[in-house]
Amino acid sequence: MPELPEVETIRQTLKELVIGKKIESVSIHWPKIIQQPEPDMFHQTVVGQTFRDIRRKGKFLLFDLDDFVLVSHLRMEGKYGVFPSAEELMPHTHVIFHFTDDTDLRYRDVRKFGTMHLFKKGEEQNAKPLVQLAEEPISGNFSIKTFTEKVQSSQRCIKNILLDQTVIAGLGNIYVDETLFLAKIHPLQQGVHLTDKDILIIYQSAVETLNKAIKQGGTTIRSYVNSQGQIGMFQQELAVYSKEGEACQVCGDMITKIKVHGRGTHYCPSCQAI
DNA sequence: AGAAAGTCCTGATTGC
DNA sequence: TGCAATCAGGACTTTC
């Protein structure tokens, strides 16, 4: 599932492949992916536009066109790739941007959970899905004070809080578990019971985890590949996620998996005692 | 208003 | 073996 490091890796690899390419037409095979505007209006709007840049906010990709911004979320299994137009479509290809140079930008998504929103340039910040999005921990604008206030004012457990993109952007199920292991905080600990120091350590752990994962090109657990079809390498570094039953690399106790509001949650009962 | 549950999907895994 | 039920999960919408 692409989280911030995977989306960043996709952004970097995809940028080289699409910048300067002009859209001739779009094929939409699963219209629900296109949340806004209506698919036929979406098509009319982007035809003739050229890709100028790709930015990222949290787990969202922002494709800058001449006059519009395409906001794309990959959810669990979304993938982008650039192919010669003549090449046969891979399974689960739902949206195809046909370029004037006889190549395509193709969006594939086995579960069809991904979304695309199109905005006039500059308007994307004022509407869903970006309007409520918090800063990401590796951003220079991240406020530890605001983060601390939000965490300490919540009755929810820290696992849930860290998955909330209006509190901190970019973490998903894998990196929340890894961050809490590094911070030595139990996933069920309530936000209201965490000290300023706990929260600072959580923030620092998130930064360290995300930066390491970006350097490794992301984590491939199920099916993640970057825009050039390469897998990530960070799964070798995982300490708790998908390590149920294995020995903790710090203390040797057994990594335990529990469910926290429907999410698989991995932790070391000794290092992360509540 | 805040928090939990429901929703969207399909391939892989589990259970009988 | 074969089929059906269950699981995986991000973020929005709905419900409490």
Side-chain angles (χ1 to χ4, degrees):
Chain A
M1 57 221 86
E3 305 177 27
L4 189 153
E6 292 74 37
V7 179
E8 175 60 19
T9 306
I10 290 166
R11 186 190 74 80
Q12 291 171 10
T13 51
L14 191 56
K15 207 173 146 167
E16 309 304 321
L17 300 175
V18 300
I19 285 186
K21 300 229 180 183
K22 186 173 175 180
I23 300 168
E24 189 171 78
S25 64
V26 183
S27 302
I28 301 170
H29 297 153
W30 192 263
K32 280 187 161 180
I33 306 264
I34 312 291
Q35 301 273 311
Q36 138 182 357
E38 294 294 315
D40 53 342
M41 178 60 74
F42 179 93
H43 181 265
Q44 284 179 42
T45 307
V46 297
V47 165
Q49 296 278 311
T50 298
F51 281 87
R52 297 302 180 186
D53 199 3
I54 309 180
R55 292 175 290 142
R56 182 187 57 71
K57 284 213 154 235
K59 304 176 203 171
F60 291 89
L61 283 171
L62 282 65
F63 294 88
D64 285 316
L65 305 173
D66 293 313
D67 309 306
F68 300 90
V69 178
L70 175 64
V71 178
S72 169
H73 198 299
L74 306 168
R75 289 293 210 277
M76 261 70 75
E77 307 245 13
K79 294 168 186 56
Y80 280 105
V82 176
F83 303 88
S85 301
E87 195 168 311
E88 195 178 337
L89 293 184
M90 295 173 81
H92 312 295
T93 300
H94 304 310
V95 181
I96 307 163
F97 297 87
H98 304 280
F99 295 128
T100 52
D101 68 347
D102 292 322
T103 61
D104 298 339
L105 171 64
R106 298 178 180 175
Y107 177 74
R108 296 188 291 129
D109 189 342
V110 168
R111 297 203 192 156
K112 302 174 175 169
F113 272 18
T115 58
M116 297 183 194
H117 293 77
L118 191 65
F119 296 96
K120 262 187 163 167
K121 216 173 216 174
E123 291 182 0
E124 72 276 7
Q125 303 296 344
N126 308 319
K128 283 174 191 173
L130 296 182
V131 68
Q132 295 277 20
L133 190 66
E135 285 292 338
E136 54 191 55
I138 58 172
S139 146
N141 294 327
F142 188 83
S143 162
I144 296 163
K145 184 166 175 286
T146 305
F147 178 56
T148 302
E149 286 167 4
K150 284 186 178 175
V151 171
Q152 290 178 338
S153 66
S154 175
Q155 307 294 316
R156 302 148 80 196
C157 65
I158 189 64
K159 164 89 184 195
N160 279 353
I161 295 171
L162 294 181
L163 285 171
D164 185 341
Q165 304 296 302
T166 71
V167 175
I168 185 169
L171 298 173
N173 211 34
I174 295 173
Y175 295 111
V176 167
D177 285 3
E178 293 299 316
T179 294
L180 288 175
F181 174 78
L182 195 57
K184 298 187 185 295
I185 301 286
H186 195 290
L188 291 177
Q189 184 69 258
Q190 283 180 291
V192 69
H193 290 139
L194 291 168
T195 65
D196 288 6
K197 191 184 163 202
D198 289 335
I199 296 168
L200 179 63
I201 290 172
I202 289 170
Y203 158 73
Q204 290 167 340
S205 301
V207 170
E208 185 178 333
T209 303
L210 292 174
N211 281 334
K212 266 193 189 169
I214 291 170
K215 275 199 189 127
Q216 300 271 16
T219 303
T220 297
I221 288 291
R222 298 179 69 88
S223 66
Y224 163 75
V225 289
N226 70 24
S227 307
Q228 290 160 355
Q230 300 154 333
I231 66 168
M233 298 306 287
F234 191 71
Q235 59 275 16
Q236 297 171 14
E237 314 282 329
L238 294 176
V240 288
Y241 190 89
S242 78
K243 303 294 182 186
E244 182 186 10
E246 294 183 27
C248 170
Q249 58 188 224
V250 171
C251 74
D253 198 2
M254 197 173 83
I255 302 302
T256 302
K257 182 177 182 182
I258 57 172
K259 280 256 182 193
V260 180
H261 283 98
R263 302 283 183 255
T265 299
H266 314 71
Y267 71 106
C268 170
S270 298
C271 292
Q272 297 168 264
I274 201 157

